[in-house]
Amino acid sequence: MTTKKSKLFYFIPYSMWILLFVIAPILLIIYQSFFDVSGHFTFANYQTYFSSGTYLQMTISSVWYAFLITLFTFLVSYPTAYLLSKTKHKQLWLLLIILPTWINLLLKAYAFIGIFSSNGNVNGFLEFIGIGSKQILFTDVSFLFVATYIEIPFMILPIFNAVEEINPSYISASTDLGANAWQTFRRVIFPLTLNGVKSGVQAVFIPSLSLFMLTRLIGGNRVITLGTAIEQHFLVTQNWGMGSTIGVVLIAAMVIIMLLTGEKKKRGRKMK
Amino acid sequence: MPNQSIITFKDVVKEYDDQPILNHVDFEIEKGKFYTLLGPSGCGKTTILRLIAGFTDATSGEIYLDGKKVNDIPANKRKVNTVFQDYALFPHMNVFDNVAFGLSIKKMAQQKIVEKVKEVLKMVQLSGYENREISEMSGGQRQRVAIARALANEPEVLLLDEPLSALDLKLRTEMQYELRALQRRLGITFIFVTHDQEEALAMSDEIFVINKGHIVQSGTPVDIYDEPINRFVADFIGESNIVKGNMMDDYRVKFVGKEFECVDAGMRENEAVEIVLRPEDLEITAVEKGKLKVKVDTQLFRGVHYEIVCSDTDQNEWVIHSTKKAKIGAEVGLYFNPEDIHVMRFNETEEEFDARLEAYEEE
Ligand SMILES: Nc1ncnc2c1ncn2[C@@H]1O[C@H](COP(=O)(O)OP(=O)(O)OP(=O)(O)O)[C@@H](O)[C@H]1O
Ligand SMILES: [Mg+2]
């Protein structure tokens, strides 16, 4: 009995946190989304969202950029995580990869402004090799580049853990049964790291949907995502109802992503 | 087909980080027999299997498979298959996909794969289990899936790394029979690793006893049990009473202060030797009928027999297996036959041992 009680006791801080900072805000946002600028109850916000082309286009563009960021992050992270698990001092390397996540996002963004600006390091190099200065900052490419750079550690970590968890005798077994290195990768290693990939996709795609700081600082507001739109509604146009509506849509999108990539409780994942 | 060696190791050395793990290992393995590598933990059994399968390279020496040198042939091109100690069944595939793995790598037609999988699953008595997930199988069933997966590729040699060690005693005994029967039926070569001497004795055509990266003795179970080459083998294979002695002459050996008739010969006069007497060869009789006089210290009922521990006046311990009870504290005689005395020389190599055995047996 006492153990049950004490377990409950330890659960209190966590449930308070969830209640105050997750559940309450979500309920507030949903509530808010049903009011117009002058404070009257309405469904108009949702109507506007789904009927006006602008918001839908914004949604599509958000998803598209989030998809690209996730894709590039994956393309860089998978080989890195895989090779990392084969290196000698993997914990050290891993630390070096995680280290940048400890630095504030804004700081990193400003650092990139310095690097990409018209008299920054990259353009300096381009001039040096004779190509000449280019507009790098405020382009889609630089936005994707920086976003990918920032998200990479969040993808590497779960994939690395999944690769590490693979029992080396599975690889021996695959070779023993005649598979070459590529076949072993495709049929044994990759499927067994799929859950790591899914976690990585979740960790990258969902935040990427609502990136707004980078869109301004690096993308120069050329890239408009739902995150940018929410920020504008709350801070500039003061249309909290519309901002909340977009927020609700984003939350719905996240839930859908979670469901799609979530672990289907397949029996037989672990056997040890 | 008989007497054709399918695997040959010539002076194989394996080092890890400059530490020798296998020291100049030489052996030949004949087609269609059941071999067992027997030795204590860490002696190099798995390393030998890994060298045969091709998961690791020999530091020096030559390895032949079916007459071809395979040192540079990768594991996926060798016609051997392995049943791993932890089975290594792919957890993301069901039984069918596991067993079919090797066949689909070979790009066999789907229809043929289905037939073959069915056939091997029947062989290991798992018909109808195709769609089960691995996690839904018991330890013994997983082990059979692992065997089926290896057999589906029709290997010439099947390597089994302690496949029974995770099973409980009853299942283990059952699987010992099944494995042996399977090997006889298929007629392919099995190389079986274990550190359980009873398992080795029960299953094998030939046993290689390994210690510290050396093959100490090889031979049939009966040979090794009856004529252990040294103290290590005698101790490792079955329980033994081992005492120091001296060879007085051919067929005369002296130990615990008395001379006995024996069946060993070909040694130097007065050479220091060790004597093995197996517990089941010793018989308790009246003091005056016995060749040795001992006192009963303890007695343990073991089910099939009593394990009786006695000591003589020189404080040597004698373990006896007897179906009859003894009385603790009683003075009794021990009787044994000349052929029960096994004489072992110090530092005799297997070749010298075999040569000596042949020499005096011809007389
Ligand atoms: N990859 C490796 N790197 C370094 N040392 C190794 C490696 N593999 C094995 N060894 C060493 O080689 C020796 C023999 O190992 P091996 O696995 O062949 O033993 P084994 O006879 O199979 O033992 P067990 O009965 O415990 O399985 C051990 O001392 C082990 O520490
Ligand atoms: Mg081993």
Side-chain angles (χ1 to χ4, degrees):
Chain A
M1 260 333 206
T2 48
T3 56
K4 220 175 189 180
K5 251 188 199 157
S6 61
K7 255 188 203 159
L8 226 57
F9 178 74
Y10 290 125
F11 198 63
I12 288 174
Y14 177 67
S15 38
M16 291 296 279
W17 176 275
I18 292 279
L19 201 70
L20 282 175
F21 298 109
V22 180
I23 298 181
I26 289 178
L27 291 178
L28 277 177
I29 287 179
I30 294 174
Y31 176 77
Q32 193 75 53
S33 69
F34 290 109
F35 290 92
D36 62 16
V37 192
S38 45
H40 294 112
F41 181 85
T42 177
F43 288 109
N45 292 328
Y46 287 94
Q47 217 162 18
T48 319
Y49 185 94
F50 287 107
S51 57
S52 103
T54 341
Y55 286 113
L56 286 182
Q57 203 185 346
M58 221 182 275
T59 312
I60 290 168
S61 125
S62 272
V63 171
W64 174 242
Y65 278 105
F67 169 75
L68 286 181
I69 293 167
T70 311
L71 180 71
F72 293 139
T73 310
F74 170 73
L75 290 180
V76 175
S77 302
Y78 199 99
T80 312
Y82 187 64
L83 292 179
L84 203 64
S85 73
K86 305 252 174 292
T87 53
K88 246 195 175 146
H89 307 284
K90 39 189 156 190
Q91 293 308 329
L92 176 71
W93 287 112
L94 201 62
L95 188 72
L96 289 179
I97 285 171
I98 295 171
L99 216 54
T101 64
W102 299 350
I103 299 166
N104 186 286
L105 180 65
L106 268 182
L107 278 183
K108 283 186 279 191
Y110 281 115
F112 271 105
I113 293 178
I115 294 169
F116 284 161
S117 65
S118 50
N119 41 18
N121 308 16
V122 177
N123 274 322
F125 177 74
L126 288 180
E127 286 204 5
F128 175 76
I129 59 171
I131 294 179
S133 180
K134 288 250 153 50
Q135 176 65 36
I136 302 172
L137 210 55
F138 306 147
T139 59
D140 286 9
V141 177
S142 63
F143 169 69
L144 286 175
F145 185 92
V146 176
T148 304
Y149 163 81
I150 285 168
E151 300 291 0
I152 279 173
F154 300 103
M155 182 79 92
I156 287 186
L157 214 57
I159 297 178
F160 174 81
N161 286 335
V163 175
E164 281 287 274
E165 253 182 41
I166 295 180
N167 181 347
S169 65
Y170 294 151
I171 293 156
S172 296
S174 170
T175 319
D176 188 70
L177 294 165
N180 59 29
W182 168 243
Q183 287 164 326
T184 300
F185 176 78
R186 195 169 57 83
R187 304 189 49 168
V188 178
I189 297 172
F190 188 72
L192 286 176
T193 53
L194 209 55
N195 278 325
V197 173
K198 282 180 180 173
S199 315
V201 167
Q202 281 181 8
V204 172
F205 189 85
I206 294 173
S208 301
L209 269 182
S210 52
L211 279 176
F212 68 91
M213 210 50 116
L214 286 183
T215 54
R216 167 127 13 103
L217 294 176
I218 307 288
N221 273 351
R222 273 155 194 272
V223 182
I224 309 279
T225 63
L226 290 177
T228 333
I230 295 175
E231 190 209 9
Q232 296 287 321
H233 277 305
F234 274 89
L235 300 181
V236 184
T237 62
Q238 301 279 330
N239 187 351
W240 286 25
M242 197 62 221
S244 299
T245 305
I246 304 173
V248 172
V249 171
L250 260 184
I251 292 169
M254 288 172 191
V255 171
I256 291 171
I257 300 295
M258 297 277 261
L259 289 179
L260 284 182
T261 55
E263 210 168 327
K264 279 187 228 95
K265 273 272 174 241
K266 194 185 171 214
R267 297 148 306 175
R269 265 294 294 126
K270 279 249 161 29
M271 51 159 273
K272 257 182 195 169
Chain B
M1 209 147 96
N3 290 333
Q4 183 185 344
S5 65
I6 186 156
I7 299 176
T8 309
F9 269 45
K10 274 198 186 145
D11 202 23
V12 172
V13 173
K14 174 70 190 174
E15 293 174 356
Y16 280 120
D17 314 319
D18 292 332
Q19 277 285 98
I21 301 298
L22 294 183
N23 298 315
H24 306 281
V25 170
D26 280 285
F27 63 77
E28 288 194 7
I29 281 180
E30 287 170 21
K31 227 177 190 153
K33 282 195 184 175
F34 196 117
Y35 286 84
T36 298
L37 307 182
L38 175 67
S41 189
C43 69
K45 304 180 297 287
T46 299
T47 305
I48 291 179
L49 288 199
R50 290 173 59 81
L51 284 167
I52 297 173
F55 302 140
T56 185
D57 294 322
T59 309
S60 70
E62 287 157 12
I63 299 170
Y64 294 87
L65 274 183
D66 228 356
K68 277 198 297 282
K69 191 175 162 189
V70 294
N71 289 51
D72 299 322
I73 295 183
N76 57 335
K77 299 267 155 59
R78 298 192 189 183
K79 272 201 80 90
V80 297
N81 285 109
T82 309
V83 176
F84 293 84
Q85 185 157 4
D86 57 359
Y87 310 150
L89 296 170
F90 304 125
H92 59 296
M93 299 180 192
N94 63 15
V95 170
F96 179 90
D97 290 335
N98 262 287
V99 177
F101 189 88
L103 304 176
S104 71
I105 291 287
K106 280 187 208 139
K107 306 227 156 46
M108 192 185 257
Q110 187 63 25
Q111 183 56 40
K112 270 183 151 174
I113 291 181
V114 173
E115 276 167 26
K116 185 76 200 173
V117 170
K118 204 168 173 187
E119 180 193 326
V120 288
L121 281 180
K122 188 166 172 224
M123 228 182 258
V124 296
Q125 300 173 20
L126 281 181
S127 294
Y129 282 79
E130 279 90 341
N131 293 321
R132 287 272 199 117
E133 293 298 327
I134 297 304
S135 60
E136 296 169 336
M137 307 288 279
S138 73
Q141 291 170 332
R142 284 181 200 183
Q143 199 247 1
R144 288 171 214 223
V145 177
I147 292 170
R149 182 175 72 175
L151 288 179
N153 299 281
E154 301 181 351
E156 285 166 21
V157 180
L158 188 66
L159 309 175
L160 304 106
D161 195 352
E162 304 197 32
L164 307 183
S165 59
L167 308 181
D168 65 52
L169 188 65
K170 188 166 170 287
L171 192 57
R172 196 161 156 167
T173 320
E174 234 173 80
M175 284 309 298
Q176 286 173 1
Y177 280 108
E178 279 185 30
L179 272 182
R180 185 69 234 239
L182 192 67
Q183 187 270 335
R184 289 228 167 93
R185 206 160 68 232
L186 297 173
I188 62 178
T189 314
F190 274 38
I191 303 179
F192 183 90
V193 163
T194 181
H195 53 236
D196 179 337
Q197 45 99 8
E198 279 180 39
E199 198 163 276
L201 291 173
M203 297 175 77
S204 326
D205 289 318
E206 292 261 347
I207 298 176
F208 292 175
V209 184
I210 302 170
N211 189 26
K212 296 186 185 143
H214 269 300
I215 295 185
V216 186
Q217 189 172 10
S218 57
T220 65
V222 174
D223 281 350
I224 288 184
Y225 190 83
D226 282 350
E227 295 290 344
I229 185 171
N230 60 23
R231 191 185 186 109
F232 171 80
V233 177
D235 242 357
F236 202 76
I237 309 261
E239 277 184 88
S240 318
N241 297 295
I242 303 176
V243 291
K244 288 197 178 343
N246 290 86
M247 208 63 198
M248 304 317 290
D249 199 352
D250 281 356
Y251 311 112
R252 302 289 305 166
V253 64
K254 184 175 170 185
F255 58 90
V256 292
K258 284 185 196 164
E259 257 190 62
F260 299 95
E261 188 191 334
C262 70
V263 294
D264 291 271
M267 281 164 259
R268 280 174 285 123
E269 201 169 303
N270 212 20
E271 182 178 334
V273 291
E274 284 184 303
I275 311 299
V276 177
L277 280 161
R278 296 286 185 188
E280 64 275 18
D281 290 337
L282 296 175
E283 198 182 317
I284 293 181
T285 61
V287 175
E288 59 278 6
K289 280 194 204 153
K291 292 187 175 178
L292 286 173
K293 196 174 92 177
V294 294
K295 193 165 136 273
V296 179
D297 290 335
T298 58
Q299 172 171 263
L300 209 65
F301 182 57
R302 288 278 196 181
V304 263
H305 59 75
Y306 288 94
E307 187 175 287
I308 303 161
V309 181
C310 308
S311 56
D312 61 20
T313 45
D314 294 343
Q315 303 309 316
N316 290 310
E317 199 174 78
W318 296 93
V319 179
I320 299 136
H321 290 173
S322 165
T323 48
K324 279 186 240 104
K325 232 172 149 163
K327 215 162 104 209
I328 291 175
E331 300 253 307
V332 294
L334 288 186
Y335 184 81
F336 46 85
N337 292 314
E339 60 269 23
D340 297 332
I341 301 175
H342 309 299
V343 177
M344 306 182 302
R345 304 173 83 184
F346 287 97
N347 300 319
E348 192 174 38
T349 66
E350 201 178 359
E351 291 90 64
E352 292 163 352
F353 175 78
D354 289 341
R356 180 168 60 82
L357 245 58
E358 253 171 49
Y360 75 76
E361 269 167 8
E362 273 167 15
E363 285 173 17

